[in-house]
Amino acid sequence: MRIELEQVRTMPARLEPGVLYVSEEFETAAHLCACGCRSKVRTPLGPTEWRFTHYAEGPSLQPSIGNWQLPCKSHYWIDRGEIKWSTKWSHEQIAAGRAAEERRREHHYAVLYPDRWWARVWRWLKSMLG
Ligand SMILES: [Zn+2]
């Protein structure tokens, strides 16, 4: 199953299936759930959100799209214009996915704001060990 890229400035009110709409200006992407349930899936773009890459073969989004908030609970990758299906997520996987997302954010903000307490504790620990 293929998904085409359409670069837009603002998201159209009506999305077509099989199209990934990307607004780099507003750092957001949207598409209709690849399972065909027609739910709108919005994916913010940014260092702690999804990463959009425009390959010659088609668009890619990283990480995967986990629609656990939708009734269909579909999970897939958009990889170079191709929909690659994954298994449905169990509750444990959903929790693990959310925890990984948290860690990604924490790491990102620790780099941005090195004076936050966790960064100071980390440096102190490193100095004790080193
Ligand atoms: Zn769906």
Side-chain angles (χ1 to χ4, degrees), residues 48 100-112 118:
T48 66
E101 209 166 281
E102 274 306 300
R103 280 198 299 277
R104 239 181 24 240
R105 289 214 168 100
E106 232 162 75
H107 174 76
H108 177 74
Y109 291 114
V111 170
L112 273 185
W118 62 77

Side-chain angles (χ1 to χ4, degrees), residues 32-39 41 67 70-74 76 85:
L32 292 181
C33 178
C35 87
C37 70
R38 303 193 68 89
S39 300
V41 180
N67 293 324
L70 297 180
C72 68
K73 305 253 189 304
S74 61
Y76 49 89
W85 290 95

